[in-house]
Each structure stands twice: as C-alpha cells, then as structure tokens.
Amino acid sequence: MEKEARYKSPDERGTLRQAKAKPVFDELEGWLKLQLPKISGKTKLAEAIRYALGRMPKARPYLENGQLRAT
C-alpha cells in the first residue's frame, strides 16, 4: 500500500490509508483482543499480544495523517 501512496499528496495518502490499511489494523486489533482471553496470561504469546495491543494507539496516527511516513 505504501508503494502506491509514495508519490501522492498527504491528503491522498491519508485517504488511501483509511481505505486500505485501517481495515487491516481494525481486524488485527479485534482478532488479538479475541485471542488474549483464550490463552494463559503467563505465556510469551500473551505477552506479545498485550504488547501489540498496547502499541496500536501509537500506530493509529499513521492511518489518519498522510504527512507521516511509514518506516
């Protein structure tokens, strides 16, 4: 998606991210939230899921701001 957005204006990049990347973020976040209660909270997998869920709010501005670059 970022290859497609590379030479677009920030507004166009933001619109493209909202259309293509946001549904992926939303689906992943929902899936992670569903999986967490199914596994032992002491496992490395649970730790990784909690970490990913904790990072989601910090990643969301990428979806809304076309001026931010993906790294």
Side-chain angles (χ1 to χ4, degrees):
M1 203 265 347
E2 285 302 310
K3 279 186 180 182
E4 183 180 344
R6 183 176 300 162
Y7 300 108
K8 297 192 181 298
S9 72
D11 287 339
E12 291 172 312
R13 258 195 312 272
T15 300
L16 190 60
R17 288 174 181 168
Q18 285 289 310
K20 293 192 174 185
K22 186 178 182 305
V24 174
F25 267 68
D26 292 343
E27 187 174 335
L28 175 61
E29 187 174 26
W31 184 83
L32 290 171
K33 286 178 180 178
L34 286 173
Q35 300 315 304
L36 192 55
K38 295 178 183 179
I39 58 176
S40 171
K42 297 179 182 180
T43 64
K44 290 287 185 182
L45 179 58
E47 183 181 333
I49 290 174
R50 284 191 299 273
Y51 176 81
L53 288 171
R55 299 297 294 174
M56 286 291 194
K58 293 176 180 165
R60 291 250 173 227
Y62 151 84
L63 299 172
E64 299 160 2
N65 186 343
Q67 292 182 334
L68 296 176
R69 299 208 178 247
T71 56

